[in-house]
RNA sequence: GGAGAGAUGGCCGAGCGGUCGAAGGCGCGCGCUUGGAAAGCGCGUAAGCUCCUAAAGGGCUUCAUGGGUUCGAAUCCCAUUCUCUCCGCCA
């Protein structure tokens, strides 16, 4: 959520910036500013009357104490009418506040200067590429066929138990999952990220604070009996650790990593995108989160991007890094890098990580602040990224490492898997 | 799930319906003291909104959350959430 004070003081700038995201903010911003004026007007009136009420109440108290019952009672009558008046203004104020809030949450975050204009993913800019992204022979199998051939993932069995998009991993497949999770967590810990294990469900307040509610309600599984939501990413519970928190400056940067299962309804997805492991309702992911000073957040973003790249390198996967254009960047992000791995058998790039700086956009809703060296309280900048999501990594590993003998396990993973090949 | 007790500032903890944004302590910051440190002493130390060009200063709100009673609520009443104790159930 953008800060109202900033929007009020930089109306044209905000509208201009949001055009990069192909978002026409003119009407909303104009509306917000009108309501903001009314809101403050109502507050001034309400505050004035409340101040008077407080004053009179004190006088009444004093009068009672000194035994002047009659005067006290006549003051009481005055107060009665004042109260009604004050209530009207206070109600107005609250109503405007809510209206303003409802509009404010409709505004996306402003993109960073370096975000290229563009309409769709086709306008994203490749800023880095590494590894051999050539295709394999025509006999190469896509991962869903490899999964069946080697009996390591059973998609039908998952459908029987739960539904489409809930695969069952078997034997070396299951073991490989566990290896990847441990590998990712160990790498992150070595890089200074403190490991946390959060709940897999969150309450309404948490879902609102990170912006899943109200707009993405349909994308989350909802346990209605207890009004809990299954997390779509560990970002939600981990970021909420810092809801309503004021950090000390020397605690920054704050680095957390977390493994969690992630649950997404993915309503509206279809076709080749959902084939095999490409899009699941339940998947595993290790998430990295950083909280930092405003002036340091972009350096942190580079560091996080490079860190994720280093893991892909260790897994010997060909990848490239995209700077997302205005049309493809998410609602909440100011700048996002996508890391995509080349899947040689599907002959396409698979998004395996998204690393973003949200600047103060999330922190504003979260009320996540820090005291700087002057003792001033400021909104922190938040960043996060997948490091990494398992299914597509698994897909690429299976496809890219298929050989006539079996599926080769990259060196870095062997200590975790305990085997170096998946054979028939 | 049943019965009871509780929720106060960064932490501990006090708080007859008015003088309480809240005693006292700890912690933290600054200063004095010291060769330096500790101790000691002094001062300071919540957040949000708002008025003011800004600073200074003022106003309003906030003692789990939401409502209510009252001229006036941390204090009384109701609901919700959470914590603790006992019972029940149970990985």
């Amino acid at each position: 959520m953008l800060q109202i004070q900033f929007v009020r003081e930089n109306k044209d700038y905000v509208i201009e910036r949001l055009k990069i995201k192909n978002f026409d903010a003119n009407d909303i911003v104009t509306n917000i500013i009108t309501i903001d004026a009314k809101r403050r007007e109502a507050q001034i009136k309400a505050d004035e009357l409340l101040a008077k009420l407080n004053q009179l109440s004190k006088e009444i108290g004093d009068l009672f104490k000194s035994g002047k019952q009659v005067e006290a009672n006549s003051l009481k009558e005055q107060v009665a009418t004042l109260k009604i008046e004050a209530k009207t203004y206070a109600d107005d104020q609250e109503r405007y506040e809510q209206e303003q809030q409802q509009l404010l949450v409709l505004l996306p975050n402003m993109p960073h200067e370096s975000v290229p204009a563009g309409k769709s993913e086709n306008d994203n800019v490749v800023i880095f590429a590494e590894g051999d992204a050539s295709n394999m022979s025509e006999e190469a199998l896509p991962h869903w066929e490899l999964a069946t051939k080697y009996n390591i993932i059973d998609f039908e069995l998952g459908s029987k138990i739960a539904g489409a998009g809930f695969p069952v991993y078997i034997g070396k497949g299951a073991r490989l999952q566990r290896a990847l999770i441990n590998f990712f967590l160990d790498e992150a810990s070595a890089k200074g990220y403190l490991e946390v294990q959060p709940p897999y469900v969150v309450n309404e307040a948490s879902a609102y604070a990170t912006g899943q509610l109200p707009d993405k309600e349909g994308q989350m599984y909802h346990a209605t009996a207890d009004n809990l939501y299954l997390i779509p990413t560990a970002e939600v519970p981990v970021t909420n650790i810092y809801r309503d928190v004021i950090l000390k400056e020397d605690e920054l940067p704050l680095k957390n990593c977390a493994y969690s299962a992630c649950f997404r309804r993915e309503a509206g997805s279809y076709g080749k995108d959902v084939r095999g492991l490409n899009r699941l309702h339940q998947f595993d992911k290790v998430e990295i989160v950083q909280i930092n000073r405003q002036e340091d957040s972009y350096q942190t973003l580079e560091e996080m991007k490079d860190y994720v790249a280093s893991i892909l390198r260790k897994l010997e996967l060909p990848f490239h890094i995209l700077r997302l254009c205005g049309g493809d960047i998410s609602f909440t992000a100011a700048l996002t890098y996508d890391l995509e791995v080349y899947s040689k058998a599907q002959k396409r790039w698979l998004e395996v990580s998204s690393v973003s700086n949200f600047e103060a956009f999330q922190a504003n809703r979260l009320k996540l602040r820090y005291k700087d060296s002057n003792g001033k309280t400021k909104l922190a900048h938040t960043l996060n990224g997948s490091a990494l999501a398992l299914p597509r990594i698994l897909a690429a590993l299976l496809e890219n490492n298929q050989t006539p003998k079996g599926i080769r396990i990259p060196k870095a993973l062997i200590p975790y898997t305990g085997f170096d090949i998946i054979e028939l």
Side-chain angles (χ1 to χ4, degrees), chain A residues 109-373:
Chain A
N109 197 3
M110 293 183 292
H112 184 254
E113 295 160 359
S114 68
V115 171
K119 289 205 165 64
S120 72
E121 56 186 12
N122 300 320
D123 300 314
N124 295 336
V125 181
V126 177
I127 59 162
F128 183 83
E130 181 178 305
D132 171 21
S134 62
N135 292 324
M136 299 181 104
S137 69
E138 287 305 314
E139 298 92 76
L141 299 175
H143 69 266
W144 51 89
E145 290 183 26
L146 291 167
T148 308
K149 179 176 169 187
Y150 291 99
N151 192 30
I152 48 177
I153 308 171
D154 195 326
F155 292 97
E156 279 85 47
L157 197 51
S159 299
K160 173 189 169 188
I161 302 169
F166 295 94
V168 176
Y169 303 87
I170 302 162
K172 285 187 172 176
R175 178 85 187 210
L176 187 51
Q177 288 280 101
R178 188 150 58 87
L180 283 166
I181 293 165
N182 284 333
F183 172 66
F184 293 149
L185 283 173
D186 283 356
E187 290 289 315
S189 296
K191 197 75 187 172
Y193 290 89
L194 179 69
E195 185 176 339
V196 295
Q197 214 177 68
Y200 290 0
V201 294
V202 292
N203 57 27
E204 248 178 33
S206 294
Y208 269 103
T210 38
Q212 269 64 38
L213 291 177
D215 39 312
K216 291 181 199 146
E217 172 147 37
Q219 291 298 333
M220 285 189 295
Y221 290 97
H222 188 193
T224 51
D226 297 295
N227 199 21
L228 294 170
Y229 293 87
L230 273 65
I231 57 171
T233 157
E235 172 197 338
V236 177
V238 173
T239 308
N240 268 285
I241 293 174
Y242 304 101
R243 168 153 51 94
D244 267 316
V245 165
I246 300 178
L247 297 162
K248 289 181 194 139
E249 192 174 35
D250 59 19
E251 290 178 84
L252 301 173
L254 219 139
K255 303 164 82 170
N256 284 156
C257 65
Y259 156 75
S260 87
C262 303
F263 303 90
R264 299 185 183 180
R265 295 187 62 228
E266 301 290 2
S269 300
Y270 61 91
K272 68 173 167 37
D273 284 346
V274 304
R275 197 80 199 266
L277 294 169
N278 289 348
R279 194 175 292 274
L280 299 173
H281 288 309
Q282 178 187 322
F283 63 95
D284 298 287
K285 180 161 64 65
V286 171
E287 183 80 1
I288 52 174
V289 171
Q290 286 213 41
I291 298 165
N292 211 342
R293 293 173 200 86
Q294 299 184 352
E295 54 274 26
D296 296 336
S297 65
Y298 278 96
Q299 197 192 320
T300 301
L301 180 66
E302 294 301 309
E303 178 197 311
M304 290 171 75
K305 174 200 74 184
D306 293 342
Y307 165 67
V308 177
S310 77
I311 301 181
L312 294 175
R313 191 170 297 130
K314 285 186 184 174
L315 291 176
E316 302 164 39
L317 291 167
F319 67 94
H320 67 195
I321 303 177
L322 304 173
R323 186 192 294 274
L324 293 197
C325 74
D328 202 27
I329 199 168
S330 79
F331 186 85
T332 45
L335 178 57
T336 297
Y337 294 115
D338 268 10
L339 288 92
E340 297 187 328
V341 158
Y342 196 68
S343 167
K344 297 186 178 187
Q346 289 185 71
K347 302 183 177 58
R348 55 189 288 229
W349 293 94
L350 298 176
E351 183 197 326
V352 291
S353 178
S354 209
V355 186
S356 305
N357 186 355
F358 304 102
E359 296 191 2
F361 194 81
Q362 272 190 333
N364 191 33
R365 253 211 215 188
L366 282 169
K367 301 215 166 35
L368 165 55
R369 292 149 293 171
Y370 68 99
K371 269 204 202 307
D372 72 7
S373 44

